[in-house]
Amino acid sequence: MKSELCILILAAGASKRMKEAKQLLPWGSTSLVNHSINTALATRANATFIVLGAYHERIANEIMDNNISILINEDYESGIASSIGAGIRGILQSKQPSGILIMLSDQPFITGKYLDEMIDTFKKNAVSVVCTDYDEKVGVPVIFGAECFQELLELKGDNGAALLISEYKTEGIALKA
C-alpha cells in the first residue's frame, strides 16, 4: 500500500571538487542517480521527484525510469536550500502530501527497506520530522511533515535543512540508518 508521502531526491549539485557530475558516477550496473531513483521507486511513497541543476541535461538524459518527475533548479549555485525550495514548490503544484522524504542522490547505501521504515514511522507517529541518526549528528534522509513545508521554502544558502532538523529533533524521531 502506498502512503500519502512524496520522495524528493536532491541531485542539483555541481560536484565542484570532482569537476564532473558525481550523480553520473557508476554504481553497480547503473549510476548513482539511477540507483537512488530505483531505491526511491521501490518504496511505499506515492510519488518521486528529483531536482536537477548543474549538468541537468546530461543527467536527465541518463535517467532510465519515467515514473519520476524531473524538476530543474536554475538557481542551484546559490546552495542546497534553493534545490529544496524548488523541489517543494514543484511537488506542491501537483500533490498535497502529508510529508516529503528528502534524500540525496549520492547516498548509495541507503536502502528502500530503510526508507520504508522511515515512512512507516512517520505514518504511525504524530511527529513533524523523522530523520536519520548518524550517532554524532542527525541528517538526511529525512521526512518533513506538511507543517514544515513553509519553513523549508524559506531556507537560504548552503545549510540545507540541518537547522530545521535540529529544531524539530526533540519532537521528532531519529532512526539509525
Side-chain angles (χ1 to χ4, degrees):
M1 180 169 115
K2 296 285 185 176
S3 75
E4 301 168 4
L5 188 130
C6 295
I7 293 182
L8 176 61
I9 302 170
L10 301 179
S15 311
K16 290 179 183 173
R17 289 177 295 201
M18 295 187 70
K19 298 185 171 122
E20 66 177 300
K22 176 172 47 172
Q23 302 90 325
L24 297 177
L25 290 175
W27 185 261
S29 62
T30 189
S31 63
L32 279 175
V33 72
N34 279 309
H35 176 76
S36 63
I37 290 167
N38 293 338
T39 299
L41 291 174
T43 70
R44 289 187 286 276
N46 70 344
T48 301
F49 296 77
I50 188 166
V51 176
L52 304 178
Y55 315 107
H56 68 271
E57 290 176 356
R58 283 183 52 213
I59 296 168
N61 287 334
E62 293 292 321
I63 291 177
M64 298 156 89
D65 198 305
N66 59 6
N67 291 318
I68 185 163
S69 298
I70 298 173
L71 306 167
I72 305 297
N73 176 15
E74 299 290 345
D75 192 32
Y76 68 90
E77 290 184 48
S78 70
I80 194 168
S82 67
S83 292
I84 293 169
I88 301 292
R89 281 188 299 280
I91 290 170
L92 294 178
Q93 285 178 359
S94 62
K95 306 277 183 198
Q96 295 302 311
S98 60
I100 296 175
L101 188 157
I102 299 174
M103 61 184 281
L104 306 177
S105 66
D106 63 352
Q107 291 184 302
F109 295 108
I110 297 296
T111 65
K113 180 179 178 185
Y114 175 71
L115 296 179
D116 275 340
E117 181 182 351
M118 291 183 77
I119 292 167
D120 291 344
T121 300
F122 179 77
K123 288 173 61 178
K124 290 177 185 169
N125 298 276
V127 294
S128 299
V129 173
V130 175
C131 60
T132 301
D133 181 350
Y134 294 104
D135 292 327
E136 307 287 314
K137 64 180 191 167
V138 293
V140 294
V142 59
I143 299 174
F144 287 103
E147 62 275 15
C148 299
F149 295 170
Q150 187 58 45
E151 290 175 272
L152 289 166
L153 289 168
E154 294 170 2
L155 293 173
K156 302 279 185 234
D158 211 18
N159 292 326
L163 294 174
L164 197 53
I165 293 170
S166 294
E167 182 181 318
Y168 282 97
K169 181 179 162 187
T170 56
E171 51 194 75
I173 297 173
L175 300 176
K176 290 277 191 196

